[in-house]
């Protein structure tokens, strides 16, 4: 992080696993996040097939509802797994989350109807939502504090990499083996990554003993410099000066995830309704996710150099402008559409990765998992609403499919506005700390 943004003063936990085991543990967490991303995007790749070939009687609106079910589960999973990872340990929370989403996703391939399929997506969402805050909290405790922002951003690069893999595999596997084959691949984390996690994950508890001290800009009012709070639980997120910060991070995450997961779930359908066949429609999803991968790298560098929150404002605004521009872009301007979607991927996913890094830096260790779970849990409300609202727009037939880009672009711009407030809040904290010194 730059000198303009506060960062924890701790260089990591006082004691813990060897450097080699820590690196392996972080790599396993990242690989699990890749499958988390795959699982989130896989529904978008098969949605048209579920509507057209299953005989379940689905349309764009009902398919959007099913798409929302995983995000409902994620909303619950993120909140409670974040809290459990602070009290029971990151290791247990990560392993449990991976087992739940892997088993439920595999079972989706054998769903006899739409209701059973939706129920399994809900259960899978519980695991998907629990994995990300727990994995990020563990990674934050296994690396030096100065790298936490960039590590959180790079960790989240696994989401679009998994999404890209889902779109690429869908081009080949769906025509060759049917849509069910896409869900069977979720056996890999259960068979390979869970055993590795059981071997290499340390027991990081997120307790006050392992808590990192916070810097003056993150210091709660009334605390001595370097002091951490001993309070834990959701209530602690709204005490000691953290209240508005918790609200702002959660609200910005809501709007960012509305844009990111709305696009990830609905983009193939939007492009199909705009006249593309399945192949080109999935290539637009690939462009979005490749932009998100690039965004993870670019924003990790920029966040360390200029400050995670400041860069997140720029990233969110970039995504919003690119998406709104698609509203008036002719369908024949293919190169511009691809370019705008790449920028949207850079901006939306880059923003969320930066926000996760900022949360890891703004809260003490004993609140980190809870804070991440809170923000991501509330953020899933946006992920739940996005497929629903987009599906209704697509089903109405009274507005062009491109109106979805205004919907998602407006959400990205709203996130940028909320993050600006955090930038000013941090500036005031630094100024107050300088005066006190």
């Amino acid at each position: 992080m730059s000198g303009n943004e506060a960062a924890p003063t701790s260089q990591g936990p006082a004691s813990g696993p060897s450097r080699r085991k820590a690196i392996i543990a972080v790599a396993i967490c990242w690989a699990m996040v890749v499958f988390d991303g795959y699982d989130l995007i896989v529904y978008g790749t098969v949605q048209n097939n579920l509507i057209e070939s299953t005989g379940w009687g689905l349309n764009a609106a009902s398919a959007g509802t099913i798409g929302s079910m995983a995000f409902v589960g994620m909303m619950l999973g993120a909140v409670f797994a974040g809290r459990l990872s602070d009290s029971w340990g990151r290791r247990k929370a990560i392993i449990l989350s991976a087992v739940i989403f892997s088993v439920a996703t595999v079972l989706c391939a054998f769903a006899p109807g739409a209701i059973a399929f939706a129920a399994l997506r809900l259960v899978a969402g519980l695991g998907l939502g629990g994995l990300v805050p727990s994995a990020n909290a563990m990674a934050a405790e296994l690396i030096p504090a100065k790298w936490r922002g960039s590590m959180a951003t790079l960790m989240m690069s696994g989401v679009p990499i998994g999404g890209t893999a889902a779109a690429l595999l869908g081009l080949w596997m769906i025509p060759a083996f049917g849509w069910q084959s896409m869900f069977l691949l979720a056996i890999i984390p259960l068979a390979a990554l869970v055993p590795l996690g059981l071997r290499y994950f340390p027991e990081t508890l997120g307790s006050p003993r392992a808590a990192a001290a916070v810097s003056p800009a993150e210091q709660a009012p009334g605390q001595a410099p370097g002091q951490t709070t001993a309070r834990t639980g959701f209530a602690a997120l709204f005490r000691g000066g953290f209240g508005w910060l918790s609200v702002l991070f959660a609200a910005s995450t809501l709007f960012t995830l509305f844009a990111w997961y709305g696009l990830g779930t609905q983009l193939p359908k939007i492009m199909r309704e705009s006249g593309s066949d399945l192949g080109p429609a999935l290539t637009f999803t690939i462009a979005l996710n490749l932009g998100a991968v690039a965004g993870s790298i670019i924003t990790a560098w920029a966040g360390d150099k200029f400050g995670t929150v400041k860069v997140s404002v720029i990233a969110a605004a970039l995504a919003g402008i690119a998406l709104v521009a698609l509203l008036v872009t002719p369908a024949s301007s293919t190169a511009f559409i691809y370019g705008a979607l790449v920028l949207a991927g850079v901006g939306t996913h880059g923003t969320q990765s930066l926000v996760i890094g900022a949360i890891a830096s703004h809260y003490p260790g004993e609140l980190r998992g809870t804070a991440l779970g809170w923000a991501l849990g509330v953020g899933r409300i946006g992920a739940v609403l996005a497929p629903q609202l987009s599906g209704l727009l697509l089903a109405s037939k009274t507005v062009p499919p491109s109106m979805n880009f205004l919907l998602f672009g407006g959400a990205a711009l709203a996130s940028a506005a909320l993050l600006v407030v955090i930038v000013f809040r941090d500036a005031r904290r630094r100024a107050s700390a300088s005066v006190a010194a």
Side-chain angles (χ1 to χ4, degrees):
M1 293 183 189
S2 72
N4 295 327
E5 182 171 3
T9 58
S10 169
Q11 293 302 304
S15 61
S18 68
R19 181 179 179 183
R20 175 178 172 274
K21 291 193 72 172
I23 292 173
I24 293 174
V26 171
I28 296 169
C29 286
W30 179 84
M32 287 183 172
V33 173
V34 170
F35 278 96
D36 187 293
Y38 174 92
D39 203 297
L40 288 170
I41 301 300
V42 71
Y43 179 76
T45 68
V46 305
Q47 183 178 176
N48 287 312
N49 299 87
L50 296 179
I51 293 172
E52 297 169 5
S53 64
T54 59
W56 292 350
L58 298 176
N59 56 27
S62 57
T65 299
I66 291 178
S68 297
M69 296 308 295
F71 300 120
V72 173
M74 290 177 72
M75 178 174 60
L76 300 173
V79 172
F80 290 105
R83 178 69 186 98
L84 290 176
S85 74
D86 278 344
S87 57
W88 290 3
R90 319 297 190 205
R91 183 176 186 267
K92 294 176 182 177
I94 295 171
I95 295 298
L96 179 62
S97 297
V99 170
I100 290 173
F101 87 73
S102 184
V103 171
T105 301
V106 169
L107 291 177
C108 283
F110 305 99
I115 295 177
F117 184 90
L120 287 168
R121 291 299 291 165
L122 175 67
V123 175
L126 292 172
L128 295 169
L131 177 64
V132 170
S134 302
N136 274 281
M138 173 177 280
E141 292 170 3
L142 294 179
I143 61 173
K146 64 181 179 180
W147 295 340
R148 281 183 186 143
S150 58
M151 177 54 68
T153 306
L154 292 174
M155 177 76 70
M156 292 305 295
S157 71
V159 174
I161 288 174
T164 302
L168 287 171
L169 289 170
L171 290 171
W172 164 58
M173 292 184 64
I174 294 174
F177 305 108
W179 63 266
Q180 295 90 340
S181 62
M182 297 292 290
F183 292 93
L184 294 175
L185 290 180
I187 194 67
I188 296 174
L190 182 65
L193 298 180
V194 167
L196 287 172
L198 288 170
R199 178 177 179 181
Y200 288 103
F201 284 165
E203 283 290 359
T204 56
L205 295 176
S207 66
R209 295 188 305 274
V214 295
S215 67
E218 279 77 46
Q219 203 71 39
Q223 284 183 296
Q227 180 185 353
T228 62
T229 176
R231 295 173 176 173
T232 60
F234 293 115
L237 297 179
F238 302 95
R239 297 172 182 161
F242 290 115
W244 277 113
L245 188 66
S246 298
V247 170
L248 290 168
F249 273 133
S252 67
T253 300
L254 187 154
F255 283 111
T256 302
L257 294 187
F258 183 98
W260 167 244
Y261 286 127
L263 284 168
T265 302
Q266 296 294 89
L267 187 58
K269 186 64 177 173
I270 294 169
M271 303 314 294
R272 185 73 175 271
E273 292 293 322
S274 300
S276 299
D277 59 30
L278 178 61
L282 287 179
T283 62
F284 288 114
T285 301
I286 293 171
L288 176 73
N289 281 277
L290 287 177
V293 175
S296 297
I297 299 171
I298 295 169
T299 56
W301 168 81
D304 275 347
K305 187 173 180 63
F306 303 107
T308 52
V309 184
K310 292 178 181 177
V311 176
S312 68
V313 172
I314 298 172
L318 177 68
I321 293 169
L323 289 170
V324 172
L326 288 175
L327 183 66
V328 294
T329 302
S332 58
S333 302
T334 306
F336 183 87
I337 294 173
Y338 277 115
L341 288 173
V342 168
L343 290 177
V346 170
T348 54
H349 189 266
T351 299
Q352 189 51 48
S353 298
L354 288 163
V355 167
I356 288 174
I359 292 172
S361 298
H362 279 70
Y363 291 85
E366 69 271 22
L367 281 179
R368 190 170 294 126
T370 305
L372 285 167
W374 157 255
L376 289 170
V378 173
R380 302 306 179 191
I381 296 174
V384 170
L385 292 175
Q388 292 272 9
L389 296 178
S390 177
L392 290 173
L393 284 178
L394 291 170
S396 70
K397 306 298 182 182
T398 60
V399 295
S402 59
M403 284 298 294
N404 283 270
F405 296 125
L406 179 61
L407 184 70
F408 300 137
L413 293 173
S415 178
L418 290 165
L419 291 165
V420 167
V421 179
I422 298 178
V423 170
F424 283 107
R425 176 261 183 198
D426 285 349
R428 287 196 303 270
R429 290 292 179 116
R430 286 192 296 269
S432 298
S434 298
V435 171

